[in-house]
Amino acid sequence: MIRTDHQIERLGHHGDGIAAGPVFAPLSLPGETVSGVLDGDRLKDMRVLTSSEDRVKAPCTHFKSCGGCGLQHASDEFVAAWKVDVVRQALAAVGLETAFRPIKTSPVRSRRRAVISARRTKKGAMAGFHMRASSVIAEISDCDVLHPDLMPALEIARELAVLGASRKGELSVTATLSDGGLDIAVSGGKPLDGAFEAQLGQEAQRLKVARLTWDGEVIAILVPPVQRFSRARVVPPPGAFLQATREGEAALVTAAQEIVGDAKSVVDLFAGCGTFSLPMAETAEVHAIEGEAAMMKTLDRGWREAQGLKRVSVETRDLFRNPLMAEDLRCEAAVIDPPRAGAQAQTVELARSDLARIAFVSCNPVTFARDAKVLVDAGYRLDWVQVVDQFRWSSHVELVGAFTR
C-alpha cells in the first residue's frame, strides 16, 4: 500500500479536510500536511505531518473511535468562524451577502436529546454511537456533549437491548430530557405481543423512565414528559422534533422574537409542538401550522392550559404539497422553521405576500440560501443572520435570517 502526502486546503461542509483532487482527509484542518493511503477519494490510515495552529487535543477520550463528534480536534474559535463562513459561502453562491451577528454556541454537556444505538452481546449488551462511516457501535462511558442527566439513557439502552433486541438487530433508542425525567422511544426492536408489552411495562417502572414507547406504541407513562415553551407546558408525541439544547432553542427564539418585533399577528409555519408559537403568544396572536396532527393537538392543549397567552389557533397542513397561499398570509409577520429540505413551495408564497417581516429559521445553509434568494428577488431585504451552534463539535449549522420588506 502506497502512502502519499497531501496539503489540506479547506474544510468541507461535513467537516473533512479537503486536498487537491479532491482528496478527503477526516480529522484534518486547513494548512496541515497529512499522509495516508488513498481509498478512492478518501485517505485511510492518515497521519498528520504538519499541524495547524488551530489543532487542539480532543477533550473526549472516545473521540478517535466514536463518530458522534467530528471537530473536537479543532479550537472553538476555528469551529465558530468556520460555521459562520459555511453560511456566508452558501449565500455568496446565490449572489447574496448580509451582516452576521456573533455566533451563539451551546455549552459543553448541554445536549438534551440523543439517539443511542444498542446491541445485544454474548455477555449482555452494548450502547453508544456509531464509529465514523461505520455500522459498528463505539461503546462510551462518558460524553462531553450529552447533558449529565441524559447519561443514564446509555444504561437504559443496554437494558432494553437485552430485553428486546435480536442478536443480529440493533435498537435505536431516542432519549430526551423532560421535566418528568427521561422520555425513551425505541425503534428496531422485536415485535410487541401481550406478554412482551407487559414485560416492557414492568421494565419502564424499574428503570424509572417518564415514558417508554416501543416502535411507536406507548407502553407506559409514569410521569408526563413535559417540555416548557414560555409559560406553556407541552407533552410532545413520542419522538417529536425538539431543538437539541435549551440554550440553542433560547438563541433561536430570541432572534425570531426580535425579527417579529411588535407584530400583533404572526403565522408560524412548520410549527412543531410550539417552540416559536407559544413564546410568540406572549405578545401576539399566532396561527400555527404543522403537517403532523399529533403535534398540533399537543400545541393546542399546551396553549389552552397555559395562563396569560394571547390566542393561538392551529391548522394541520402539509406545507410541502399544500403551502399557505399568499392571499391567506394576512398576518403582520411570519416565522418559518422547515426541515433540512427547506421550504421552496412555501417560500414562493411568502415572496408573493405583503408580510412586513419574516424570521426564517434553518438547519441547512444551502437550502436557506436557495429560499433566501427567492425572497430577496421578490423585494425582501436580508438584514442579518444569526448563526447558532447547538450541535457542538459537529458539522451541523443552524441559523435565523431576518427578512423585511
Side-chain angles (χ1 to χ4, degrees):
M1 293 180 18
I2 301 174
R3 298 187 68 84
T4 53
D5 294 355
H6 301 268
Q7 183 78 21
I8 304 302
E9 298 173 350
R10 59 191 174 88
L11 222 56
H13 285 182
H14 297 294
D16 287 343
I18 301 177
V23 171
F24 296 89
L27 308 186
S28 63
L29 296 172
E32 293 186 330
T33 303
V34 301
S35 73
V37 179
L38 267 177
D39 181 4
D41 60 359
R42 296 187 67 81
L43 276 188
K44 300 290 182 69
D45 190 25
M46 196 192 75
R47 300 170 190 166
V48 178
L49 303 179
T50 306
S51 295
S52 164
E53 293 181 354
D54 294 308
R55 180 172 286 276
V56 298
K57 182 179 179 180
C60 179
T61 57
H62 301 291
F63 176 61
K64 289 185 178 180
S65 59
C66 175
C69 294
L71 290 167
Q72 283 197 5
H73 62 297
S75 69
D76 288 348
E77 294 77 15
F78 173 86
V79 174
W82 174 70
K83 291 198 174 189
V84 171
D85 199 49
V86 166
V87 182
R88 184 180 284 111
Q89 288 184 25
L91 289 171
V94 297
L96 298 181
E97 59 182 25
T98 190
F100 280 81
R101 294 186 166 188
I103 189 171
K104 301 284 188 181
T105 301
S106 293
V108 173
R109 297 179 185 266
S110 62
R111 188 82 61 82
R112 64 177 175 183
R113 188 176 196 181
V115 181
I116 299 165
S117 297
R119 282 185 180 273
R120 282 178 60 194
T121 64
K122 290 182 179 179
K123 295 183 180 180
M126 63 186 301
F129 303 109
H130 287 143
M131 295 181 178
R132 289 182 186 84
S134 171
S135 61
V136 177
I137 296 173
E139 191 165 26
I140 62 172
S141 57
D142 194 16
C143 182
D144 285 321
V145 170
L146 302 188
H147 191 286
D149 293 343
L150 195 59
M151 289 301 298
L154 288 161
E155 182 56 33
I156 290 172
R158 294 184 190 98
E159 298 277 359
L160 292 173
V162 170
L163 190 66
S166 67
R167 285 298 295 272
K168 294 183 179 180
E170 178 180 302
L171 288 188
S172 180
V173 181
T174 300
T176 307
L177 284 181
S178 76
D179 284 3
L182 287 175
D183 187 5
I184 303 293
V186 180
S187 61
K190 68 183 186 181
L192 284 172
D193 57 31
F196 182 43
E197 189 168 345
Q199 192 177 13
L200 284 173
Q202 293 174 354
E203 190 73 356
Q205 293 188 46
R206 186 182 72 83
L207 295 172
K208 295 182 173 62
V209 299
R211 176 171 63 184
L212 175 62
T213 306
W214 194 270
D215 281 329
E217 189 76 26
V218 176
I219 302 299
I221 301 179
L222 305 181
V223 182
V226 168
Q227 301 291 337
R228 295 177 183 269
F229 301 129
S230 182
R231 65 184 73 191
R233 293 163 50 88
V234 169
V235 178
F241 174 79
L242 291 171
Q243 297 295 340
T245 69
R246 294 189 186 280
E247 294 83 358
E249 178 179 283
L252 294 171
V253 170
T254 297
Q257 286 177 317
E258 180 182 345
I259 296 163
V260 167
D262 59 0
K264 299 304 180 186
S265 57
V266 177
V267 62
D268 184 6
L269 304 164
F270 302 95
C273 294
T275 301
F276 297 96
S277 295
L278 294 167
M280 294 287 176
E282 295 278 355
T283 57
E285 291 191 354
V286 180
H287 183 53
I289 305 177
E290 167 62 48
E292 296 290 335
M295 288 198 272
M296 286 290 85
K297 184 178 179 180
T298 289
L299 194 163
D300 184 55
R301 182 175 179 179
W303 168 70
R304 291 180 184 279
E305 294 179 351
Q307 300 293 320
L309 295 181
K310 295 186 179 297
R311 185 172 184 271
V312 177
S313 55
V314 299
E315 178 182 351
T316 301
R317 183 175 184 143
D318 184 341
L319 292 170
F320 293 109
R321 298 182 180 180
N322 185 24
L324 194 63
M325 305 304 285
E327 51 268 28
D328 296 322
L329 287 162
R330 301 189 185 94
C331 301
E332 296 177 35
V335 179
I336 180 169
D337 182 16
R340 289 189 60 79
Q344 198 163 20
Q346 185 59 72
T347 301
V348 169
E349 297 304 320
L350 288 172
R352 292 179 53 235
S353 76
D354 295 323
L355 287 164
R357 288 164 274 183
I358 300 172
F360 205 121
V361 186
S362 175
C363 59
N364 185 339
V366 174
T367 58
F368 169 75
R370 178 200 68 199
D371 294 343
K373 176 68 171 172
V374 173
L375 292 173
V376 170
D377 285 350
Y380 280 93
R381 182 176 64 246
L382 178 54
D383 295 317
W384 49 265
V385 164
Q386 171 70 71
V387 179
V388 176
D389 182 8
Q390 60 177 332
F391 291 90
R392 194 183 182 107
W393 295 316
S394 82
S395 60
H396 294 291
V397 180
E398 303 206 345
L399 62 100
V400 185
F403 293 88
T404 56
R405 275 286 187 196

